[in-house]
Amino acid sequence: MSDWESGNRPGWEQQESSAARPPESAADRKAAAKAEKEASKEWKLVEKLVMSLQAEQRKSRRWGIFFKLLTFAYLIGLLLFIQFPIGGALDSATGDAHTALIEVNGTIAADQPASADNLVGALRRAFEAKSSEAVLLRINSPGGSPVQSGYVYDEIKRLRALHPDKKVYAVIADIGASGAYYIAAAADEIYADKASLVGSIGVISGGFGFTDALGRLGVERRLYTAGENKAFLDPFSPEQESDVAFWQEVLETTHNQFIDQVRKGRGDRLVDDERLFSGLIWSGEQAEGLGLIDGLGSASWVARELVGNDKLVDYSPRQSTLRQLVDQLGVSVGRAVGDMLVQSRYELR
């Protein structure tokens, strides 16, 4: 049906009708302008609010980045402090004359604070310091590895020859036994308290045999080796007399090396007593009578009375705070027990 038939006017007539409408009045135009102005204000307020929110977000992101960087710097600083603690050896930078102090504490072993690497480094710094007048070893150790002790002994002798004007004194606190006494024997003079424990010049090796326990548990030991002695002293295999005899030779050889170094260090100050090298441990008072030490005295007494300078500067390497915390929590104890159960180790004790 066409527009004519439906009664609808064609589009040109509608346009004509629209054009025929009267023009808007001034009041209408004023109202329209006012509405447009108010709408513009609203948009400006919305735009201002959006810009403000964006600014706050940018500021928040900047502060977030700042605090993240600050936290990161703090953690890095804390890690450096734990790994390289301040104090102790830093005092050695002083130019004043002093007595160099080196602590020998705990078990003497490669993975302990009293390792040869740590002690040798401290000894070199102490001897090379122009302001140090003497080197004092303050010992509180039950001993440990004969290899580590031997390294330190040899280094003391070498440094002593390079610096003949600097004497080495060893002072034993609670205990200076076995490998610890091995180290002390390299000093020019040794002192201790009357109740200190000194000596124990011997070698010990121990382990466990689990053969019967495995049998009771119904466990069969299967061991495959290339080399007839590769399973030497295996704790899960029956003990062989030939293995025990051979190992005893090793212990005797190490013991003789120990005795030889003590004799070289102490010389004719040792009395002729067969018990000296039997592994017995003596009080400081007894040790003085046997020639194992030169007298009774503390570290401060030695520095004041013998060296003539009671200012002690500690050159000892510092154990990290983290390692101390781990040790206090008992991890080192558990590791030591595991070593005793699984391994057969020999030590100077």
Side-chain angles (χ1 to χ4, degrees), residues 228-247:
E228 58 181 337
N229 293 312
K230 191 60 181 177
F232 172 73
L233 293 181
D234 176 61
F236 298 99
S237 301
E239 191 175 57
Q240 304 293 326
E241 290 185 6
S242 58
D243 290 352
V244 175
F246 177 80
W247 190 237

Side-chain angles (χ1 to χ4, degrees), residues 125-163:
R125 291 192 298 272
F127 270 99
E128 292 168 3
K130 294 181 180 179
S131 53
S132 65
E133 297 183 355
V135 178
L136 196 158
L137 298 171
R138 183 158 59 191
I139 298 172
N140 192 12
S141 168
S145 164
V147 176
Q148 298 291 307
S149 301
Y151 284 157
V152 179
Y153 180 102
D154 293 341
E155 187 65 13
I156 292 173
K157 290 295 187 182
R158 187 187 74 84
L159 292 170
R160 185 72 180 86
L162 290 176
H163 304 273

